[in-house]
CSV table of all heavy atoms in Angstrom, one decimal:
chain,number,residue,atom,x,y,z
R,231,ALA,N,27.9,33.8,-82.9
R,231,ALA,CA,26.7,33.0,-83.0
R,231,ALA,C,26.8,32.2,-84.3
R,231,ALA,O,26.5,31.0,-84.3
R,231,ALA,CB,25.5,33.8,-82.9
R,232,ALA,N,27.1,32.8,-85.4
R,232,ALA,CA,27.2,32.1,-86.7
R,232,ALA,C,28.2,31.0,-86.7
R,232,ALA,O,28.0,30.0,-87.4
R,232,ALA,CB,27.5,33.1,-87.8
R,233,GLY,N,29.3,31.1,-86.0
R,233,GLY,CA,30.3,30.1,-86.0
R,233,GLY,C,30.1,29.1,-84.9
R,233,GLY,O,31.0,28.2,-84.7
R,234,GLY,N,29.0,29.2,-84.1
R,234,GLY,CA,28.8,28.3,-83.0
R,234,GLY,C,27.7,27.3,-83.3
R,234,GLY,O,27.2,27.1,-84.5
R,235,TYR,N,27.3,26.6,-82.3
R,235,TYR,CA,26.3,25.5,-82.4
R,235,TYR,C,24.9,26.0,-82.3
R,235,TYR,O,24.7,27.2,-81.9
R,235,TYR,CB,26.5,24.5,-81.3
R,235,TYR,CG,27.8,23.7,-81.4
R,235,TYR,CD1,29.0,24.1,-80.9
R,235,TYR,CD2,27.8,22.4,-82.0
R,235,TYR,CE1,30.2,23.4,-81.0
R,235,TYR,CE2,28.9,21.7,-82.2
R,235,TYR,CZ,30.1,22.2,-81.7
R,235,TYR,OH,31.3,21.4,-81.8
R,236,GLY,N,24.0,25.2,-82.7
R,236,GLY,CA,22.6,25.5,-82.6
R,236,GLY,C,21.7,24.4,-83.1
R,236,GLY,O,22.1,23.6,-83.9
R,237,GLN,N,20.5,24.3,-82.6
R,237,GLN,CA,19.5,23.4,-83.1
R,237,GLN,C,19.0,23.8,-84.5
R,237,GLN,O,18.5,24.9,-84.6
R,237,GLN,CB,18.3,23.3,-82.1
R,237,GLN,CG,17.4,22.1,-82.4
R,237,GLN,CD,16.3,22.0,-81.3
R,237,GLN,OE1,16.2,22.9,-80.4
R,237,GLN,NE2,15.4,21.0,-81.4
R,238,ARG,N,19.1,22.9,-85.4
R,238,ARG,CA,18.9,23.3,-86.8
R,238,ARG,C,17.5,22.8,-87.3
R,238,ARG,O,16.7,22.2,-86.5
R,238,ARG,CB,20.0,22.7,-87.7
R,238,ARG,CG,21.3,23.3,-87.5
R,238,ARG,CD,21.5,24.6,-88.0
R,238,ARG,NE,22.7,25.3,-87.8
R,238,ARG,CZ,23.3,26.2,-88.5
R,238,ARG,NH1,22.7,26.6,-89.7
R,238,ARG,NH2,24.4,26.8,-88.2
R,239,LEU,N,17.2,23.1,-88.5
R,239,LEU,CA,15.8,22.7,-89.0
R,239,LEU,C,15.5,21.2,-88.9
R,239,LEU,O,14.3,20.9,-88.8
R,239,LEU,CB,15.7,23.2,-90.5
R,239,LEU,CG,15.5,24.7,-90.7
R,239,LEU,CD1,15.7,25.0,-92.2
R,239,LEU,CD2,14.2,25.1,-90.2
R,240,ASP,N,16.5,20.4,-89.0
R,240,ASP,CA,16.3,18.9,-88.9
R,240,ASP,C,16.3,18.5,-87.4
R,240,ASP,O,16.2,17.3,-87.1
R,240,ASP,CB,17.3,18.1,-89.7
R,240,ASP,CG,18.7,18.4,-89.2
R,240,ASP,OD1,18.9,19.1,-88.2
R,240,ASP,OD2,19.7,17.8,-89.8
R,241,GLY,N,16.4,19.4,-86.5
R,241,GLY,CA,16.4,19.1,-85.1
R,241,GLY,C,17.7,18.8,-84.5
R,241,GLY,O,17.9,18.7,-83.2
R,242,THR,N,18.7,18.6,-85.3
R,242,THR,CA,20.1,18.2,-84.8
R,242,THR,C,20.8,19.5,-84.3
R,242,THR,O,20.5,20.6,-84.8
R,242,THR,CB,20.9,17.5,-85.8
R,242,THR,OG1,21.1,18.4,-86.9
R,242,THR,CG2,20.3,16.3,-86.3
R,243,ILE,N,21.7,19.3,-83.4
R,243,ILE,CA,22.5,20.4,-82.9
R,243,ILE,C,23.9,20.3,-83.6
R,243,ILE,O,24.6,19.3,-83.4
R,243,ILE,CB,22.7,20.4,-81.4
R,243,ILE,CG1,21.3,20.6,-80.7
R,243,ILE,CG2,23.7,21.4,-80.9
R,243,ILE,CD1,21.3,20.5,-79.2
R,244,ARG,N,24.3,21.3,-84.3
R,244,ARG,CA,25.6,21.2,-85.1
R,244,ARG,C,26.1,22.6,-85.4
R,244,ARG,O,25.4,23.6,-85.2
R,244,ARG,CB,25.3,20.4,-86.3
R,244,ARG,CG,24.3,21.0,-87.3
R,244,ARG,CD,24.3,20.2,-88.6
R,244,ARG,NE,23.2,20.7,-89.5
R,244,ARG,CZ,23.3,21.8,-90.3
R,244,ARG,NH1,24.4,22.5,-90.3
R,244,ARG,NH2,22.3,22.1,-91.1
R,245,LEU,N,27.3,22.6,-85.9
R,245,LEU,CA,27.9,23.8,-86.5
R,245,LEU,C,27.4,24.0,-87.9
R,245,LEU,O,26.9,23.1,-88.5
R,245,LEU,CB,29.4,23.7,-86.5
R,245,LEU,CG,30.1,23.6,-85.2
R,245,LEU,CD1,31.6,23.2,-85.4
R,245,LEU,CD2,30.0,24.8,-84.3
R,246,SER,N,27.6,25.2,-88.4
R,246,SER,CA,27.2,25.4,-89.8
R,246,SER,C,28.2,24.6,-90.7
R,246,SER,O,29.3,24.4,-90.4
R,246,SER,CB,27.4,26.9,-90.2
R,246,SER,OG,27.3,27.1,-91.6
R,247,THR,N,27.6,24.2,-91.8
R,247,THR,CA,28.4,23.5,-92.8
R,247,THR,C,28.9,24.4,-94.0
R,247,THR,O,29.5,24.0,-94.9
R,247,THR,CB,27.7,22.3,-93.4
R,247,THR,OG1,26.4,22.7,-94.0
R,247,THR,CG2,27.4,21.2,-92.4
R,248,ASP,N,28.5,25.7,-93.9
R,248,ASP,CA,28.8,26.6,-94.9
R,248,ASP,C,30.3,27.1,-94.7
R,248,ASP,O,30.6,27.6,-93.6
R,248,ASP,CB,27.9,27.8,-94.8
R,248,ASP,CG,28.0,28.8,-96.0
R,248,ASP,OD1,29.2,29.0,-96.4
R,248,ASP,OD2,27.0,29.4,-96.4
R,249,PRO,N,31.2,26.9,-95.6
R,249,PRO,CA,32.6,27.3,-95.4
R,249,PRO,C,32.8,28.8,-95.1
R,249,PRO,O,33.8,29.2,-94.5
R,249,PRO,CB,33.3,26.9,-96.7
R,249,PRO,CG,32.1,26.7,-97.7
R,249,PRO,CD,30.9,26.3,-97.0
R,250,GLU,N,31.8,29.6,-95.6
R,250,GLU,CA,31.9,31.0,-95.3
R,250,GLU,C,31.7,31.3,-93.8
R,250,GLU,O,32.1,32.4,-93.4
R,250,GLU,CB,30.9,31.8,-96.2
R,250,GLU,CG,31.2,31.8,-97.7
R,250,GLU,CD,30.2,32.6,-98.4
R,250,GLU,OE1,29.9,33.8,-98.0
R,250,GLU,OE2,29.7,32.1,-99.5
R,251,LEU,N,31.1,30.4,-93.1
R,251,LEU,CA,30.8,30.6,-91.7
R,251,LEU,C,31.6,29.6,-90.8
R,251,LEU,O,31.2,29.3,-89.7
R,251,LEU,CB,29.3,30.4,-91.5
R,251,LEU,CG,28.4,31.4,-92.2
R,251,LEU,CD1,26.9,31.1,-91.9
R,251,LEU,CD2,28.7,32.9,-91.9
R,252,SER,N,32.8,29.2,-91.3
R,252,SER,CA,33.6,28.3,-90.5
R,252,SER,C,34.0,29.0,-89.2
R,252,SER,O,34.0,30.3,-89.1
R,252,SER,CB,34.9,28.0,-91.2
R,252,SER,OG,35.7,29.1,-91.4
R,253,ARG,N,34.3,28.2,-88.2
R,253,ARG,CA,34.6,28.8,-86.8
R,253,ARG,C,35.8,29.7,-86.9
R,253,ARG,O,35.8,30.8,-86.3
R,253,ARG,CB,34.8,27.7,-85.8
R,253,ARG,CG,33.5,27.0,-85.4
R,253,ARG,CD,33.8,25.8,-84.5
R,253,ARG,NE,34.2,26.1,-83.2
R,253,ARG,CZ,33.4,26.6,-82.2
R,253,ARG,NH1,32.2,26.8,-82.5
R,253,ARG,NH2,33.9,26.8,-81.0
R,254,ASP,N,36.8,29.3,-87.6
R,254,ASP,CA,38.0,30.2,-87.7
R,254,ASP,C,37.7,31.5,-88.3
R,254,ASP,O,38.2,32.6,-87.9
R,254,ASP,CB,39.1,29.5,-88.5
R,254,ASP,CG,39.8,28.4,-87.7
R,254,ASP,OD1,39.6,28.3,-86.5
R,254,ASP,OD2,40.6,27.7,-88.3
R,255,LYS,N,36.9,31.5,-89.4
R,255,LYS,CA,36.5,32.8,-90.1
R,255,LYS,C,35.7,33.6,-89.1
R,255,LYS,O,35.8,34.9,-89.1
R,255,LYS,CB,35.8,32.5,-91.4
R,255,LYS,CG,36.7,32.0,-92.5
R,255,LYS,CD,36.0,31.8,-93.8
R,255,LYS,CE,36.9,31.2,-94.9
R,255,LYS,NZ,36.2,31.0,-96.1
R,256,MET,N,34.8,33.0,-88.4
R,256,MET,CA,33.9,33.8,-87.5
R,256,MET,C,34.7,34.3,-86.3
R,256,MET,O,34.5,35.5,-85.9
R,256,MET,CB,32.7,32.9,-87.1
R,256,MET,CG,31.8,32.6,-88.2
R,256,MET,SD,31.0,34.0,-89.1
R,256,MET,CE,32.1,34.1,-90.5
R,257,TYR,N,35.6,33.5,-85.8
R,257,TYR,CA,36.4,34.0,-84.7
R,257,TYR,C,37.3,35.2,-85.2
R,257,TYR,O,37.6,36.1,-84.5
R,257,TYR,CB,37.3,32.9,-84.1
R,257,TYR,CG,36.6,32.1,-83.0
R,257,TYR,CD1,36.4,30.8,-83.1
R,257,TYR,CD2,36.1,32.8,-81.9
R,257,TYR,CE1,35.8,30.1,-82.1
R,257,TYR,CE2,35.5,32.1,-80.9
R,257,TYR,CZ,35.3,30.7,-81.0
R,257,TYR,OH,34.7,30.0,-80.0
R,258,ALA,N,37.8,35.1,-86.4
R,258,ALA,CA,38.6,36.2,-87.0
R,258,ALA,C,37.8,37.5,-87.1
R,258,ALA,O,38.3,38.6,-86.8
R,258,ALA,CB,39.1,35.8,-88.4
R,259,ILE,N,36.5,37.4,-87.5
R,259,ILE,CA,35.7,38.6,-87.5
R,259,ILE,C,35.5,39.1,-86.1
R,259,ILE,O,35.6,40.4,-85.9
R,259,ILE,CB,34.3,38.3,-88.2
R,259,ILE,CG1,34.5,38.1,-89.7
R,259,ILE,CG2,33.3,39.4,-88.0
R,259,ILE,CD1,33.3,37.6,-90.4
R,260,ALA,N,35.2,38.3,-85.2
R,260,ALA,CA,34.9,38.7,-83.8
R,260,ALA,C,36.2,39.4,-83.2
R,260,ALA,O,36.1,40.4,-82.5
R,260,ALA,CB,34.5,37.5,-82.9
R,261,LYS,N,37.4,38.8,-83.5
R,261,LYS,CA,38.6,39.4,-83.1
R,261,LYS,C,38.8,40.8,-83.7
R,261,LYS,O,39.1,41.7,-83.0
R,261,LYS,CB,39.8,38.5,-83.4
R,261,LYS,CG,41.2,39.1,-83.1
R,261,LYS,CD,42.3,38.2,-83.6
R,261,LYS,CE,43.6,38.9,-83.5
R,261,LYS,NZ,44.8,38.0,-84.0
R,262,LYS,N,38.7,40.8,-85.0
R,262,LYS,CA,38.9,42.1,-85.7
R,262,LYS,C,38.0,43.2,-85.1
R,262,LYS,O,38.5,44.3,-84.8
R,262,LYS,CB,38.7,41.9,-87.2
R,262,LYS,CG,38.6,43.2,-88.0
R,262,LYS,CD,38.2,43.0,-89.4
R,262,LYS,CE,38.2,44.2,-90.2
R,262,LYS,NZ,37.1,45.2,-89.8
R,263,GLU,N,36.7,42.9,-85.1
R,263,GLU,CA,35.8,44.0,-84.7
R,263,GLU,C,36.0,44.4,-83.2
R,263,GLU,O,36.0,45.6,-82.9
R,263,GLU,CB,34.4,43.6,-84.9
R,263,GLU,CG,34.1,43.2,-86.4
R,263,GLU,CD,34.2,44.4,-87.3
R,263,GLU,OE1,34.5,45.5,-86.9
R,263,GLU,OE2,33.9,44.2,-88.6
R,264,SER,N,36.1,43.4,-82.3
R,264,SER,CA,36.2,43.8,-80.9
R,264,SER,C,37.6,44.5,-80.6
R,264,SER,O,37.6,45.5,-79.8
R,264,SER,CB,36.1,42.5,-80.0
R,264,SER,OG,37.0,41.5,-80.4
R,265,VAL,N,38.7,44.0,-81.2
R,265,VAL,CA,39.9,44.7,-81.0
R,265,VAL,C,39.9,46.1,-81.5
R,265,VAL,O,40.5,47.0,-80.9
R,265,VAL,CB,41.1,43.9,-81.6
R,265,VAL,CG1,42.4,44.6,-81.6
R,265,VAL,CG2,41.2,42.6,-80.8
R,266,GLU,N,39.3,46.3,-82.7
R,266,GLU,CA,39.2,47.7,-83.2
R,266,GLU,C,38.4,48.6,-82.3
R,266,GLU,O,38.8,49.8,-82.2
R,266,GLU,CB,38.6,47.7,-84.6
R,266,GLU,CG,39.5,47.1,-85.7
R,266,GLU,CD,39.0,47.2,-87.1
R,266,GLU,OE1,37.8,47.7,-87.3
R,266,GLU,OE2,39.6,46.7,-88.0
R,267,ILE,N,37.4,48.1,-81.7
R,267,ILE,CA,36.6,48.9,-80.7
R,267,ILE,C,37.5,49.2,-79.5
R,267,ILE,O,37.6,50.4,-79.1
R,267,ILE,CB,35.4,48.1,-80.2
R,267,ILE,CG1,34.4,47.9,-81.4
R,267,ILE,CG2,34.7,48.9,-79.1
R,267,ILE,CD1,33.3,47.0,-81.0
R,268,ILE,N,38.2,48.2,-79.0
R,268,ILE,CA,39.1,48.5,-77.8
R,268,ILE,C,40.2,49.5,-78.2
R,268,ILE,O,40.5,50.4,-77.5
R,268,ILE,CB,39.7,47.2,-77.3
R,268,ILE,CG1,38.6,46.3,-76.8
R,268,ILE,CG2,40.8,47.4,-76.3
R,268,ILE,CD1,39.0,44.8,-76.6
R,269,ASP,N,40.8,49.3,-79.4
R,269,ASP,CA,42.0,50.1,-79.8
R,269,ASP,C,41.5,51.6,-80.1
R,269,ASP,O,42.3,52.5,-80.0
R,269,ASP,CB,42.7,49.6,-81.0
R,269,ASP,CG,43.5,48.3,-80.7
R,269,ASP,OD1,43.7,48.0,-79.5
R,269,ASP,OD2,43.9,47.6,-81.6
R,270,SER,N,40.2,51.8,-80.4
R,270,SER,CA,39.7,53.1,-80.7
R,270,SER,C,39.8,54.0,-79.4
R,270,SER,O,39.8,55.2,-79.5
R,270,SER,CB,38.3,53.0,-81.2
R,270,SER,OG,37.4,52.8,-80.1
R,271,LYS,N,39.7,53.4,-78.2
R,271,LYS,CA,39.7,54.1,-77.0
R,271,LYS,C,38.6,55.1,-76.8
R,271,LYS,O,38.6,56.1,-76.1
R,271,LYS,CB,41.1,54.8,-76.7
R,271,LYS,CG,42.3,53.9,-76.7
R,271,LYS,CD,43.5,54.6,-76.3
R,271,LYS,CE,44.7,53.7,-76.4
R,271,LYS,NZ,44.6,52.4,-75.7
R,272,LYS,N,37.5,54.7,-77.5
R,272,LYS,CA,36.3,55.5,-77.5
R,272,LYS,C,35.3,55.1,-76.3
R,272,LYS,O,34.3,55.8,-76.1
R,272,LYS,CB,35.5,55.5,-78.8
R,272,LYS,CG,36.3,56.0,-80.0
R,272,LYS,CD,36.5,57.5,-79.9
R,272,LYS,CE,37.2,58.0,-81.2
R,272,LYS,NZ,37.5,59.5,-81.1
R,273,LEU,N,35.7,54.0,-75.6
R,273,LEU,CA,34.8,53.5,-74.5
R,273,LEU,C,35.8,53.2,-73.4
R,273,LEU,O,37.0,53.1,-73.5
R,273,LEU,CB,34.1,52.3,-75.0
R,273,LEU,CG,33.1,52.5,-76.1
R,273,LEU,CD1,32.9,51.2,-76.9
R,273,LEU,CD2,31.8,53.0,-75.6
R,274,ARG,N,35.2,53.1,-72.2
R,274,ARG,CA,36.0,52.7,-71.0
R,274,ARG,C,35.1,51.9,-70.0
R,274,ARG,O,33.9,52.1,-69.9
R,274,ARG,CB,36.6,53.9,-70.4
R,274,ARG,CG,35.7,54.9,-69.9
R,274,ARG,CD,36.5,56.2,-69.4
R,274,ARG,NE,35.6,57.2,-68.9
R,274,ARG,CZ,35.2,57.4,-67.7
R,274,ARG,NH1,35.6,56.6,-66.7
R,274,ARG,NH2,34.5,58.5,-67.3
R,275,LEU,N,35.8,51.1,-69.3
R,275,LEU,CA,35.1,50.4,-68.1
R,275,LEU,C,35.0,51.4,-67.0
R,275,LEU,O,35.9,52.2,-66.7
R,275,LEU,CB,36.0,49.2,-67.7
R,275,LEU,CG,36.1,48.0,-68.6
R,275,LEU,CD1,37.1,47.0,-68.0
R,275,LEU,CD2,34.8,47.4,-68.9
R,276,LEU,N,33.8,51.4,-66.4
R,276,LEU,CA,33.5,52.1,-65.2
R,276,LEU,C,33.7,51.1,-64.0
R,276,LEU,O,33.9,49.9,-64.2
R,276,LEU,CB,32.1,52.7,-65.2
R,276,LEU,CG,31.8,53.6,-66.3
R,276,LEU,CD1,30.3,54.0,-66.3
R,276,LEU,CD2,32.7,54.8,-66.3
Side-chain angles (χ1 to χ4, degrees):
Y235 290 86
Q237 188 177 6
R238 295 285 176 153
L239 284 169
D240 61 3
T242 62
I243 295 173
R244 60 172 175 82
L245 299 171
S246 171
T247 57
D248 190 322
E250 294 182 44
L251 299 177
S252 68
R253 287 175 71 78
D254 283 352
K255 288 181 179 178
M256 294 302 97
Y257 273 121
I259 289 175
K261 172 186 173 181
K262 171 186 178 295
E263 301 295 0
S264 54
V265 170
E266 285 182 5
I267 295 168
I268 295 166
D269 288 348
S270 77
K271 302 188 185 304
K272 298 293 185 179
L273 298 154
R274 61 186 176 92
L275 292 175
L276 303 175

